[in-house]
Amino acid sequence: MTRTMLLLLPALLFSASSMAKTFVNEDFGYTMEVDDAYQLIRNDDVTLFSDETGNSLIAIKNWPGLSEEAARDYIQHGYQDEKVAIVATGDAEEVTLEKGKGLLADVQGIVERKLIKGITGGFVGDDGQGLVVLFSGPAAEWGNLAAMARQAMTSIRFVAYDASMSAIDWFHLLAGTRLSLRGTSSDNSRREDLYFCSDGSFKHRIQRSSSQQFDTGSAFGFAAKSKSGLWTVVDDNGASRLMLRYSDGREESALLEDRNGRTFLDGQRYYMMRNHRCR
């Protein structure tokens, strides 16, 4: 998922005598063994653990409905914004979990001009659970942290939970992502993209292309327009409805559905993709 993405912070060395504790996230249906040096400092769409210095961090993006395809995309293609740039340093490794699957990959990058190394994982549960986890540390210290990070990643277990998506769940899921509508087989000249920002703003871009054949060759045309506004998700008799208010005062809405990890607006399939325009 945005897509809100994960903030990387340097990690400190941990004592060999540290103990692990089981963190249970009932809202998103998983458990994870977390080193006793960490304290929970946030638990909503993003779960964060930090040590007492604030320099060591485990960051979890809770992502109900995450597909294996989307998880692989995030793991293999990395992430970049104004302060953070991370890339995978090797192929993603598949891991089998109880009631789910996972992918792990070593990463390296730069965070606020500091070189880091780490490990990231994308996990998909059999009952619709999903999460992306990141553990990172200074490159010079990663040799002492790698085993602990891998142990935390592979300790994840999926448990039963309410898989229905509330309006607030949808807002957290869409924030920082892009929904893309591809042209049909009979009209592949049109593409529509909705960019959702976590501050409640959005951008709506529609582009069209056309071509014509002549005796002397061919001609190609392209046109695009963008509009912006504010967005939210509201409850609609137990369902969730996306509300778009454009800057010109016009309003539109669409019923949101998750069908086995696929996103539908008013019954039409949209592809959830990376959002580089906002977070």
Side-chain angles (χ1 to χ4, degrees), residues 4-179:
T4 300
M5 201 46 199
L6 305 177
L7 177 65
L8 300 177
L9 292 178
L12 298 180
L13 297 178
F14 294 94
S15 167
S17 61
S18 296
M19 302 294 290
K21 56 188 176 185
T22 301
F23 168 69
V24 181
N25 194 324
E26 295 180 349
D27 291 336
F28 294 98
Y30 67 88
T31 68
M32 182 179 185
E33 298 299 312
V34 178
D35 191 276
D36 202 38
Y38 290 103
Q39 296 297 317
L40 182 66
I41 61 173
R42 175 180 173 182
N43 190 30
D44 41 53
D45 62 313
V46 173
T47 299
L48 294 176
F49 294 89
S50 176
D51 77 342
E52 61 182 5
T53 69
N55 293 322
S56 172
L57 182 73
I58 296 174
I60 305 170
K61 168 61 178 175
N62 298 307
W63 193 337
L66 176 67
S67 67
E68 292 184 45
E69 178 184 6
R72 186 176 294 276
D73 177 68
Y74 269 85
I75 299 305
Q76 292 185 331
H77 293 91
Y79 175 74
Q80 182 174 352
D81 61 23
E82 298 84 0
K83 297 182 179 180
V84 175
I86 60 171
V87 294
T89 57
D91 294 333
E93 169 194 351
E94 294 188 3
V95 293
T96 300
L97 305 176
E98 185 175 342
K99 299 182 180 179
K101 298 179 180 178
L103 291 170
L104 297 179
D106 294 322
V107 296
Q108 66 180 12
I110 297 175
V111 180
E112 296 184 342
R113 300 184 179 182
K114 295 180 180 180
L115 183 64
I116 63 95
K117 289 186 177 181
I119 185 171
T120 186
F123 304 93
V124 178
D126 293 343
D127 298 321
Q129 306 97 320
L131 59 152
V132 176
V133 187
L134 179 70
F135 189 115
S136 69
E141 300 175 4
W142 185 245
N144 298 299
L145 296 170
M148 178 186 297
R150 176 170 286 272
Q151 183 176 358
M153 295 286 192
T154 57
S155 73
I156 292 173
R157 300 291 182 269
F158 291 109
V159 297
Y161 85 122
D162 182 2
S164 61
M165 295 275 286
S166 67
I168 189 65
D169 291 334
W170 272 111
F171 185 90
H172 288 318
L173 176 63
L174 293 176
T177 67
R178 166 167 59 108
L179 292 184

Side-chain angles (χ1 to χ4, degrees), residues 209-242:
S209 60
S210 61
S211 62
Q212 285 185 299
Q213 298 293 328
F214 301 95
D215 293 340
T216 56
S218 60
F220 179 80
F222 176 83
K225 62 179 181 179
S226 297
K227 296 184 178 181
S228 61
L230 299 176
W231 72 283
T232 190
V233 181
V234 299
D235 180 77
D236 184 0
N237 295 319
S240 295
R241 181 168 291 275
L242 173 66

